Amino acid sequence: MNDTPGWASPGSAPSDGQEPGTSGPDRPADRPESEQPADQSGPQPQDSGPTWSKEQPPPAQWSAPTGPAAPEQTPPPPPPGPGWGSHPPAGPGGHGGYAGPGGYGSWSGGWGGPPPAAKPGVIPLRPLGVGEILDGAVSTMRAYWRTVLGIALTVAVLTEIVVVLLQGFFLNDRIDTDALNDPSATFSELSRAMGDAMLSYGVISVISLIGTIVATALLTTVTSRAVLGKSVTIGEAWTDARPQIARLFGLIFLLVLIAFGIVAVGVLPGILVAASGAGEAGAALTALGSLCAIVVAIWLMLRFSLASPALMLEKQSIVKSMSRSVKLVRGSWWRIFGIQLLAMLIASILASIIAIPFAFLADAFSGDSGSGLLDSSGDLGWTYLIVSGIGSVIGSMITFPISAGVTVLLYIDQRIRREALDLELARAAGVQGYGPDTPGS
């Protein structure tokens, strides 16, 4: 190979189709050495074949090519087709790719937005919307209906037995709401009848609330496993919940005590005013105090609404589970209130669809015993109570799983939003890319 500076001179590159060092009619190497030009910058002979350019680079400025020839030009990639909204392939954290698990806002430059979240179970592992929470509760009931309906049936039967016995032995004799249907009743009589009706409704509501909390606690294990795509039997759910049962009832007792304390504080001034002789003023003050107390009780109970799943899943004490609920609800009170209210309305509508036919059936079996319910007299016979109670049990079998599922999924959703629980759930479910060796874990 010729290593002289003239190797890379114009017109002698390997792209001419000749190998380096070969001679050709147009190459200066064919000429005898004595006839080679002594100085390339000087005048060139006119009769020696092809001539050099007058403007040549100085010696030792150009070097022979040592690298491979330039690669062939490849045609540009075709333009994106109709499916160009798909995600470009990229490794974790790569440009235009998904920057690690849980990085929902880490998609940089992707064509179609972040990739879908993992969904090993009934919900996707990311912050949830209202529809996804409701759908997750229903999907849990459909996928694991044997376990869910078994637990709901047990709690509903026990709850309804308490309600029927309480109405039959206590409320029928102590509650008088006849004044509500008497046009000539005085204001004090109407207030007393209204108070009795609220007492009856309040007692039944508290019992139903206890049943709902118990069902939520027992169904917490089922729902948490359903999020991971794993099933659980009634025995496994009971084994998991049994160590926390005592604390659960302590939590229920404390919540009921707080609710009754708030209501008592609200109605106490009106009772004292009525006892002093101002009956109408006392009744009005009692009604106003009751309304304010109900509002405060609802606000406070909602702040503690996630205490039950926190108690069961985190194995916390009563006070710590209530504190956890307050922390998770803080800043999202109205959102949780709206979702819980929507779930309650849906559950109430479903329960009414089932309970109303049983109420008419109970009225037909018991003669006019059911007229007490229609005219608000509160005098209900045993036949009516038992037949209508069967309808309530069937309705509770459907409403308990929905209410419990929504509460548990709200708890999980709040922890995903604030504590990145989705990463832990994905690892527990065995989703690829979420292991302990994943970058950013």
Side-chain angles (χ1 to χ4, degrees), residues 176-363:
D176 184 12
T177 58
D178 293 336
L180 296 177
N181 295 321
D182 186 3
S184 60
T186 63
F187 182 79
S188 59
E189 292 175 345
L190 290 174
S191 299
R192 189 180 303 109
M194 182 66 70
D196 290 343
M198 291 181 62
L199 176 62
S200 176
Y201 179 77
V203 170
I204 296 175
S205 298
V206 168
I207 296 174
S208 300
L209 176 62
I210 294 174
T212 302
I213 294 176
V214 173
T216 300
L218 296 177
L219 291 172
T220 296
T221 302
V222 181
T223 306
S224 61
R225 298 283 185 88
V227 170
L228 303 178
K230 302 178 181 179
S231 61
V232 59
T233 63
I234 297 178
E236 292 173 343
W238 170 250
T239 301
D240 185 76
R242 182 173 56 189
Q244 298 294 104
I245 290 296
R247 292 179 180 179
L248 176 65
F249 280 102
L251 173 65
I252 295 172
F253 175 77
L254 183 58
L255 293 178
V256 172
L257 186 63
I258 292 174
F260 271 112
I262 293 174
V263 174
V265 171
V267 301
L268 183 60
I271 294 176
L272 295 178
V273 171
S276 64
E280 295 185 358
L285 186 59
T286 300
L288 180 60
S290 301
L291 181 61
C292 295
I294 291 174
V295 172
V296 174
I298 291 175
W299 175 79
L300 195 58
M301 290 299 104
L302 195 69
R303 289 175 64 87
F304 296 141
S305 61
L306 304 182
S308 176
L311 179 74
M312 302 303 296
L313 290 178
E314 300 180 20
K315 312 300 181 184
Q316 298 278 7
S317 63
I318 296 174
V319 176
K320 288 185 177 180
S321 63
M322 295 173 66
S323 175
R324 283 285 290 157
S325 178
V326 172
K327 180 180 178 181
L328 292 174
V329 173
R330 185 182 297 118
S332 302
W333 192 94
W334 285 107
R335 178 177 179 271
I336 296 177
F337 172 76
I339 296 175
Q340 292 277 33
L341 180 61
L342 179 61
M344 185 182 67
L345 291 176
I346 294 175
S348 300
I349 292 174
L350 294 176
S352 299
I353 292 175
I354 298 174
I356 289 177
F358 276 90
F360 284 107
L361 186 63
D363 189 36

Side-chain angles (χ1 to χ4, degrees), residues 93-180:
H95 178 71
Y98 183 51
Y104 307 109
S106 301
W107 184 265
S108 56
W111 290 343
K119 187 179 179 181
V122 295
I123 60 170
L125 300 183
R126 57 170 171 73
L128 304 175
V130 178
E132 291 171 330
I133 292 177
L134 296 175
D135 180 71
V138 175
S139 298
T140 302
M141 183 172 59
R142 293 175 56 188
Y144 311 100
W145 62 271
R146 290 184 178 88
T147 303
V148 171
L149 294 184
I151 295 175
L153 176 62
T154 303
V155 177
V157 168
L158 295 177
T159 303
E160 196 60 33
I161 288 176
V162 175
V163 170
V164 169
L165 293 178
L166 192 62
Q167 284 184 319
F169 287 108
F170 177 76
L171 296 180
N172 280 348
D173 298 332
R174 304 293 181 88
I175 303 300
D176 184 12
T177 58
D178 293 336
L180 296 177

